[in-house]
Amino acid sequence: MSGVDYADVVCGLAWGDEGKGKVTSHLTFLNEYDYVCRWAGGSNAGHTIYVDGKKYKTHIVPAGVFSGVKSVIGPGCVLDVESFYQELEYLSAAGFDTSLVKVSPRAHIVTKIHKEIDKGEYAKKLGTTSSGIGPTYSDKALRRGRRAEDVLEPSMLWNEKFSSDRPSGARILCEGAQGVWLDIDWGNYPYVTSSNTLPYAACSLGFPPQKIRNVWGCAKAYDTRSGTDPEFPENLSENEHLAFLQWKGQEYGVTTGRKRHVNWLNIDRLIRAINMTGTTHVVISKCDVLDECSVKKVKFSGDRFEPPTYMNIEDLDQFMNRVEGWIRSSCRLVEKIYFSHDPEAI
Ligand code: IMP
Ligand code: MG
């Protein structure tokens, strides 16, 4: 049967690095999907995934490859051919079946020049990952880009059909990259990435919005920001407790190795992100890290003219109770909230 039965979406509720890789690989191992697909971004993303206790890092290949599920890099993605093939070799050497990975013929190609421009002009100014993302999407918008169909061997290309042995059609898991506050429209422009990170953009894979079933929204027990953003000033690291979270949580960019800025969880932002994405299942990771910090706080953003306020939280139980209460009272679509204490499992 060709056609789509349903699509579940995993998305970031913050600035990326919220544990989407962990949630995606957990879901793919449940055997409930025929496809795992990326819908936006490129090798700027960095996903950390544990399989049988071993740690793997990927940038563009969807997590389906770890559980033997067909994996698609969608039409809205940008592909750095060299780093893509390197990643396939790395995964194949580790014993995974990389023939499951296909690329949409419509995905745009990141060239050496795109990366040079990104590195030379935008890495310092905007704190980009130097992966050539902005320049590639800008050539796409100017309608002068090269696409995967112009460059890749035909055997690597996706046939743009979702098929399944099941009579009701294919089940798809859409793997988000980055997060709501890095979205080109909704983030703190120009300190954003160049694609749409919200779940509606997953429909660019070629299914209608009515097919979206569950949205798994991922966040952490504290906020982190990889790259430049005036909302995360340098002096945050002078706070010993935030510095502790940075150290204990190993908050370094997977793609760039840069230290991430850390701040207390901004609860207003989290609630807004849950509502904008239509999140049905919330996963809040790194509760084990927050638990070990002697001081715990939650941030309320206020509006642009008010200074933010911070509430002191007694312990992890109080943190979970409060956060659960705030989410339950403001987010109607949420069915389940998970507080995760394990880097390898939900
Ligand atoms: P670009 O996507 O490389 O153009 O970078 C634009 C902004 O998004 C920078 O602030 C990056 O640090 C941030 N960014 C892009 N991808 C990720 C990610 O996967 N995790 C966290 N931050 C990211
Ligand atoms: Mg990441």
Side-chain angles (χ1 to χ4, degrees), residues 47-328:
H47 289 172
T48 308
I49 290 166
Y50 290 85
V51 182
D52 296 330
K54 264 188 144 172
K55 186 174 182 172
Y56 298 94
K57 291 181 178 188
T58 59
H59 298 287
I60 184 71
V61 173
V65 74
F66 294 107
S67 48
V69 178
K70 284 184 247 177
S71 296
V72 171
I73 296 169
C77 293
V78 292
L79 189 82
D80 177 341
V81 177
E82 200 185 323
S83 86
F84 170 59
Y85 278 115
Q86 271 171 12
E87 210 168 298
L88 289 183
E89 267 173 39
Y90 155 75
L91 292 167
S92 163
F96 299 107
D97 179 5
T98 52
S99 71
L100 295 165
V101 183
K102 300 286 177 216
V103 181
S104 164
R106 300 166 197 273
H108 276 251
I109 299 295
V110 181
T111 65
K112 225 171 143 189
I113 296 169
H114 291 135
K115 286 189 278 188
E116 276 165 17
I117 297 171
D118 198 16
K119 196 166 175 204
E121 289 185 37
Y122 301 102
K124 270 231 171 81
K125 199 160 74 183
L126 299 178
T128 70
T129 60
S130 304
S131 326
I133 304 299
T136 307
Y137 277 114
S138 78
D139 274 350
K140 172 181 173 176
L142 286 168
R143 288 147 295 177
R144 61 180 193 191
R146 282 163 82 211
R147 307 202 293 177
E149 62 183 350
D150 308 322
V151 172
L152 295 186
E153 302 152 36
S155 65
M156 292 306 301
L157 297 176
W158 179 42
N159 65 2
E160 301 192 317
K161 286 191 186 87
F162 289 111
S163 54
S164 159
D165 299 337
R166 303 169 68 248
S168 49
R171 303 155 302 173
I172 305 174
L173 183 64
C174 305
E175 177 182 340
Q178 293 85 39
V180 167
W181 307 120
L182 290 175
D183 180 271
I184 189 164
D185 297 320
W186 284 98
N188 188 15
Y189 191 90
Y191 305 99
V192 293
T193 192
S194 303
S195 61
N196 291 109
T197 61
L198 279 99
Y200 72 86
C203 295
S204 66
L205 287 160
F207 58 79
Q210 288 89 341
K211 295 290 181 185
I212 296 181
R213 187 182 67 162
N214 294 328
V215 176
W216 288 74
C218 306
K220 282 196 296 216
Y222 48 89
D223 284 335
T224 63
R225 177 66 158 103
S226 168
T228 313
D229 190 333
E231 282 187 38
F232 287 76
E234 292 294 333
N235 65 9
L236 284 172
S237 63
E238 290 163 17
N239 178 302
E240 60 176 304
H241 306 294
L242 296 176
F244 172 85
L245 290 172
Q246 192 281 325
W247 168 77
K248 187 77 202 171
Q250 285 295 300
E251 299 296 348
Y252 294 94
V254 175
T255 303
T256 55
R258 297 176 298 194
K259 245 187 198 183
R260 296 174 184 145
H261 306 286
V262 178
N263 203 353
W264 305 109
L265 177 66
N266 185 328
I267 196 73
D268 295 345
R269 284 296 190 98
L270 177 62
I271 285 171
R272 186 133 192 252
I274 290 172
N275 285 330
M276 282 174 63
T277 52
T279 289
T280 55
H281 296 65
V282 182
V283 182
I284 299 184
S285 288
K286 292 207 164 169
C287 291
D288 51 324
V289 176
L290 183 67
D291 196 20
E292 290 201 37
C293 191
S294 58
V295 169
K296 298 171 183 56
K297 294 182 195 220
V298 169
K299 181 183 177 185
F300 300 84
S301 55
D303 68 27
R304 274 169 190 264
F305 306 104
E306 277 171 45
T309 48
Y310 294 88
M311 177 194 273
N312 279 302
I313 301 283
E314 226 161 78
D315 55 23
L316 195 67
D317 279 339
Q318 194 191 38
F319 172 83
M320 294 190 292
N321 282 335
R322 293 265 178 167
V323 169
E324 169 121 29
W326 285 314
I327 293 175
R328 291 275 171 219

Side-chain angles (χ1 to χ4, degrees), residues 19-33:
K20 295 180 291 292
K22 177 174 81 173
V23 173
T24 309
S25 65
H26 165 85
L27 292 173
T28 59
F29 277 103
L30 296 179
N31 245 339
E32 288 179 0
Y33 301 98

